[in-house]
Amino acid sequence: MSFKQLTATAIACIMMLSVPLAAQQRESSAQENNCIKCHSKLMRNFSQPARLYEQDIHNSVGILCSDCHGGDPTNERRHDRNDPAQGFKGKPSAAEIPVFCSECHGDAAYMRSFNPSLPVDQMEKYVTSRHGLLLEQGDTKVAQCISCHSVHDIR
């Protein structure tokens, strides 16, 4: 087995071990997630992200749709995502994704509660990378977080 394969295997094992611990930490604060209920069954336009999210690593540790996208996950009624009073952040543009993801992934204290081994300096590395420099120059087709990690079905 090559060093690269061995490293990838070790990282996968560490992540698998840390997920149950994080899930236990979040179970006590788990709340109703009506986002998944409605979006996966009732709304064709938004059903695919909701179905994918059911298998996402973020969902498995108790992170709700609203933790990223805002809104009220306990709401059982139709909502208006364009109403500022309802607190939706919505879908970030391609240029906004690195900052959007780094709001959590750049917060060491927050990330430590889920997986202490995850790095929290991805944004600093990204902005100095070729991709980050091109994004800064206005290239919105440049690779960013979800180009490699996908979205709503991160494993």
Side-chain angles (χ1 to χ4, degrees):
M1 189 181 276
S2 73
F3 178 76
K4 188 175 182 179
Q5 291 170 320
L6 185 61
T7 303
T9 302
I11 290 170
C13 289
I14 290 168
M15 289 182 72
M16 286 175 25
L17 292 172
S18 66
V19 168
L21 295 174
Q24 288 173 350
Q25 291 172 348
R26 292 285 292 211
E27 270 185 67
S28 62
S29 65
Q31 54 181 288
E32 195 69 27
N33 189 0
N34 287 318
C35 308
I36 295 284
K37 286 181 181 179
C38 290
H39 284 263
S40 64
K41 296 177 179 80
L42 303 176
M43 302 176 68
R44 287 186 192 160
N45 292 343
F46 300 103
S47 65
Q48 182 66 7
R51 281 196 299 271
L52 290 172
Y53 194 69
E54 291 176 1
Q55 302 300 314
D56 189 280
I57 187 73
H58 297 95
N59 185 40
S60 73
V61 298
I63 296 173
L64 302 176
C65 305
S66 58
D67 292 329
C68 296
H69 296 288
D72 178 5
T74 63
N75 183 12
E76 294 179 349
R77 297 181 185 172
R78 185 173 173 87
H79 60 75
D80 180 359
R81 68 181 187 271
N82 296 316
D83 177 1
Q86 294 187 21
F88 286 99
K89 295 180 189 176
K91 177 182 175 183
S93 69
E96 296 169 327
I97 289 172
V99 170
F100 192 84
C101 294
S102 73
E103 287 176 6
C104 294
H105 284 271
D107 182 339
Y110 182 75
M111 292 304 293
R112 193 175 305 117
S113 71
F114 295 100
N115 184 346
S117 68
L118 287 176
V120 291
D121 62 345
Q122 294 97 327
M123 187 63 174
E124 289 82 8
K125 289 179 179 176
Y126 180 79
V127 296
T128 60
S129 73
R130 180 74 177 140
H131 304 300
L133 294 171
L134 287 170
L135 181 63
E136 181 66 29
Q137 294 171 7
D139 183 352
T140 58
K141 294 182 181 180
V142 69
Q144 28 71 2
C145 309
I146 66 170
S147 300
C148 296
H149 297 286
S150 186
V151 63
H152 298 124
D153 62 344
I154 299 167
R155 309 276 171 158

